[in-house]
Amino acid sequence: MDNLGRNSIVNAYYLLDNRTISSKEKPTLGGTRIKPRKRNIAAPLDPAAFSDAVVQIYLDNAGDLVVFTGGRTQPGTTKPDEGERHSYSIIDCEPQREAILPSVIYIQKILRRRPFLIKNLENVTRRFMQSLELFEENERKKLAIFTALAFSQKLSGLPPETVFQPLLKDNLVGKGLVLSFITDFFKEYLVDNSLDDLIAILKRGKMEDNLLDFFPSSKRSAEGFSEHFTKEGLIPLVEYNEKKIFEVKLKDMKSTLTTQIAEETEMSEVIESVKQRVKDAKLPDIEVVRILWDILMDAVQWSGKNQQQNANAALRQVKTWAQLLNTFCTNAKLELELMYKVQMQCYEDAKLMKLFPEIVRSLYDQDVLAEDTILYWFRKGTNPKGRQTFVKALEPFVKWLEEAEEEE
């Protein structure tokens, strides 16, 4: 047998002998359970080695490595002396959704597998938002597109307040950087989402009522808002903001008028106040008539089930504030609208159901409603709510009007 064969047999025997010995049951103490000792072994933290390993894994697998600047660096800087930079980064790609979306999707997958990275993403995003001035205009646009796509894809770890609140630094807003960034963000987000979705994000970011805070002080006005976003093609956002402003002014008008009625302010002062607020809010005349009637009736001290007291209170209110109603019911169309408003309220409120003819008669006596308006409503009124009942209740008064007309 040659030396090679001999060595093979010796080695095989050695391995077999060791395996046999190791398979033998080791002696133990009877009735005693030996528990292995457990120790918490803390591995030393090495962020640099970890980041390098992550980079290498995805470079080896030909995947799109998702980082913002292409390497480890301070927010906004791209200094060449901070190490070699790779080409798989948002900053180096084209400012288009097709180029940036794969990065967003990849981050989403990573966060699902490594939830502990969610906080890191939030912190990094906050730092980038605070450092917009360190990026070029084209780079800020890429970050805006990335942020919009992140929200569109419902990326974990990116709450709206993380994005919007850091943007409100005075120096960033004053230079117009924030307005440019947020405009690109809005435009990109609305490609795949509705305006309601955008408003929901703004609400969560506590910015729904403070959109003007994104504007430099020289442009911070409702007109500046409309002009800017109209030019950018974001008409739905402009309409939403105008509606918001309208609602705020309307609420202010209602609150002021309610207070003035409760305090029995001089009629001339109330009328002037309403006129000014109508002008500021650009309220339609029909809307003004509806609001005035609602506020006057809401201010009445109703008396539960006592029908006579309710009737007296309603008629007293009409008589007291007839001049206010008369000031804004300036034509037949507005008078008819007031009649429809009275009709709807009497139909919807049980305690006023039987007061319709008395209220109409009182409005006629105070020169708020003209005879022709009442007759038109009686003959050709279009609102069906309770109409049959109210027409029947108003018949005696209409008959009296017709007879008076014939006598004249």
Side-chain angles (χ1 to χ4, degrees):
M1 183 179 296
D2 57 10
N3 290 335
L4 181 59
R6 185 181 300 107
N7 290 337
S8 298
I9 293 174
V10 170
N11 289 337
Y13 177 80
Y14 177 77
L15 292 172
L16 179 62
D17 185 59
N18 280 345
R19 186 171 60 191
T20 304
I21 293 174
S22 62
S23 65
K24 291 181 180 179
E25 187 175 352
K26 296 180 180 180
T28 59
L29 296 175
T32 303
R33 183 178 179 182
I34 300 176
K35 296 182 179 179
R37 293 183 62 188
K38 295 182 179 179
R39 292 182 297 171
N40 295 325
I41 302 176
L45 299 176
D46 189 354
F50 174 77
S51 61
D52 291 339
V54 172
V55 170
Q56 193 57 47
I57 289 172
Y58 285 93
L59 289 177
D60 292 344
N61 289 276
D64 287 336
L65 180 66
V66 180
V67 292
F68 290 97
T69 61
R72 293 190 301 277
T73 180
Q74 294 299 316
T77 63
T78 54
K79 297 179 182 178
D81 58 351
E82 292 185 357
E84 184 178 354
R85 316 188 71 78
H86 59 78
S87 58
Y88 299 102
S89 69
I90 293 172
I91 294 301
D92 289 332
C93 72
E94 293 296 321
Q96 299 173 355
R97 64 181 1 244
E98 294 78 10
I100 298 175
L101 182 57
S103 297
V104 177
I105 294 175
Y106 170 68
I107 285 185
Q108 192 175 46
K109 292 179 179 179
I110 285 295
L111 294 180
R112 287 173 181 171
R113 298 180 182 180
R114 301 289 185 270
F116 59 86
L117 293 175
I118 290 177
K119 193 65 177 177
N120 290 9
L121 174 63
E122 182 180 342
N123 294 335
V124 168
T125 303
R126 183 182 292 109
R127 289 198 297 270
F128 273 119
M129 296 301 106
Q130 293 171 339
S131 308
L132 283 182
E133 60 185 334
L134 301 178
F135 292 94
E136 300 294 333
E137 181 180 355
N138 200 36
E139 294 172 341
R140 289 194 292 270
K141 183 173 183 179
K142 296 172 187 178
L143 289 175
I145 293 174
F146 170 85
T147 307
L149 291 174
F151 283 121
S152 185
Q153 296 292 320
K154 296 179 174 56
L155 189 67
S156 302
L158 200 59
E161 58 269 24
T162 299
V163 175
F164 298 133
Q165 295 302 322
L167 290 174
L168 300 179
K169 292 176 64 175
D170 291 341
N171 62 318
L172 297 179
V173 174
K175 294 176 181 178
L177 301 180
V178 174
L179 180 57
S180 176
F181 177 89
I182 210 68
T183 301
D184 289 332
F185 171 84
F186 288 163
K187 291 169 73 173
E188 185 61 41
Y189 184 80
L190 290 173
V191 171
D192 295 326
N193 302 275
S194 67
L195 181 64
D196 290 340
D197 294 329
L198 177 60
I199 300 307
I201 287 178
L202 292 172
K203 283 183 179 179
R204 288 165 53 202
K206 301 176 182 178
M207 291 303 302
E208 180 199 10
D209 299 324
N210 304 302
L211 292 178
L212 287 178
D213 291 350
F214 293 134
F215 283 71
S217 56
S218 60
K219 300 180 180 179
R220 195 171 294 171
S221 65
E223 294 75 15
F225 185 100
S226 299
E227 181 182 352
H228 173 76
F229 285 114
T230 298
K231 183 179 178 181
E232 295 294 336
L234 296 174
I235 305 299
L237 185 61
V238 173
E239 293 173 348
Y240 167 81
N241 189 62
E242 290 176 348
K243 181 180 178 183
K244 238 356 220 183
I245 293 174
F246 175 82
E247 290 174 350
V248 170
K249 291 182 177 180
L250 185 60
K251 183 178 180 181
D252 176 63
M253 174 183 164
K254 289 180 177 180
S255 175
T256 302
L257 183 54
T258 299
T259 302
Q260 290 175 331
I261 291 174
E263 295 176 353
E264 299 182 352
T265 307
E266 286 291 331
M267 181 66 69
S268 58
E269 183 180 341
V270 174
I271 291 175
E272 189 59 35
S273 174
V274 173
K275 284 183 177 180
Q276 186 59 47
R277 282 171 168 75
V278 167
K279 181 179 178 181
D280 292 343
K282 298 178 181 179
L283 285 170
D285 293 338
I286 287 180
E287 191 66 29
V288 175
V289 171
R290 293 169 180 167
I291 291 170
L292 291 179
W293 182 258
D294 283 338
I295 292 176
L296 289 177
M297 290 298 102
D298 288 343
V300 174
Q301 299 295 322
W302 302 109
S303 179
K305 297 181 180 181
N306 192 317
Q307 188 68 19
Q308 188 57 49
Q309 288 186 12
N310 286 335
N312 293 338
L315 298 176
R316 190 184 312 116
Q317 188 80 326
V318 170
K319 184 177 181 180
T320 302
W321 296 101
Q323 186 180 347
L324 177 64
L325 292 171
N326 201 13
T327 302
F328 294 94
C329 287
T330 55
N331 55 53
K333 182 179 179 181
L334 296 177
E335 291 177 13
L336 184 61
E337 183 60 35
L338 178 58
M339 279 206 72
Y340 284 140
K341 188 64 184 175
V342 174
Q343 175 187 347
M344 284 300 300
Q345 185 164 23
C346 290
Y347 173 77
E348 294 173 352
D349 193 336
K351 64 177 174 289
L352 298 178
M353 179 69 76
K354 296 180 179 180
L355 295 183
F356 179 77
E358 295 182 62
I359 292 175
V360 172
R361 176 65 183 262
S362 179
L363 290 170
Y364 171 78
D365 291 340
Q366 302 299 325
D367 294 326
V368 178
L369 294 179
E371 176 183 335
D372 291 342
T373 302
I374 298 173
L375 293 176
Y376 181 89
W377 177 91
F378 184 81
R379 295 164 183 168
K380 299 181 181 180
T382 57
N383 193 325
K385 299 293 182 65
R387 175 171 173 76
Q388 186 175 357
T389 301
F390 296 141
V391 165
K392 185 176 181 180
L394 201 61
E395 275 182 356
F397 178 57
V398 169
K399 185 177 180 181
W400 178 82
L401 289 176
E402 291 173 338
E403 290 176 353
E405 187 179 8
E406 290 175 0
E407 290 178 3
E408 291 178 1

